[in-house]
Amino acid sequence: MELVDVLKALADETRLRILNVLRQESLCVCDLEDVLKLSQSNASRHLTKLRHCRLIVAEKQAQWVYYRINEQLLQEQPFVKAILDQELGKSAKYQQDLSKLRQYRNIGGGCGCTEKLP
């Protein structure tokens, strides 16, 4: 059943956008909201689905939760790594999200949690 859950999670554009930026670094939900222009409830709903199928893992530090790609799952399901590494790079939308993340970091974007990033 895990494979079906992973495939379902990958079938959503917002979740692919989240995975795309998480490939770069660990982020908290407020960072994802700002970079991807998501509401808090929408971001949380998608993060829950990604966690449920183990595509991402969460680590709590103080009052913030940081999300990152689950490297163990990428080893177990190499097709997911191929999608993230190869296919997302072909789309202008995903490249724009990475550009927004770089701009966000360059201007010091964040809710105050960015100083605590691992």
Side-chain angles (χ1 to χ4, degrees):
M1 190 60 144
E2 181 180 302
L3 179 61
V4 172
D5 292 334
V6 169
L7 292 171
K8 285 180 181 179
L10 293 174
D12 182 88
E13 182 178 38
T14 300
R15 289 192 286 273
L16 285 174
R17 292 177 68 207
I18 290 170
L19 291 170
N20 183 47
V21 295
L22 290 179
R23 289 184 317 148
Q24 306 303 307
E25 61 182 277
S26 296
L27 297 168
C28 74
V29 68
C30 58
D31 293 327
L32 291 166
E33 290 170 26
D34 286 346
V35 171
L36 301 178
K37 303 301 180 212
L38 302 172
S39 69
Q40 189 277 328
S41 61
N42 193 19
S44 292
R45 182 172 48 87
H46 287 295
L47 289 167
T48 298
K49 288 184 181 190
L50 291 169
R51 284 180 70 187
H52 173 74
C53 68
R54 297 182 41 235
L55 280 165
I56 63 171
V57 293
E59 181 180 333
K60 186 165 176 66
Q61 294 183 10
Q63 68 262 38
W64 293 288
V65 178
Y66 295 94
Y67 299 92
R68 62 178 168 79
I69 298 287
N70 183 353
E71 296 297 330
Q72 181 180 352
L73 184 117
L74 295 184
Q75 291 176 352
E76 295 169 7
Q77 306 288 346
F79 77 92
V80 175
K81 182 169 175 32
I83 290 170
L84 297 178
D85 291 346
Q86 298 166 14
E87 298 303 318
L88 294 184
K90 296 177 183 177
S91 169
K93 181 167 197 107
Y94 300 111
Q95 292 305 310
Q96 289 172 349
D97 287 340
L98 295 179
S99 177
K100 289 177 190 175
L101 177 62
R102 285 189 295 275
Q103 291 172 357
Y104 179 76
R105 288 298 182 218
N106 286 340
I107 62 168
C111 61
C113 62
T114 52
E115 293 83 32
K116 299 190 184 314
L117 281 173

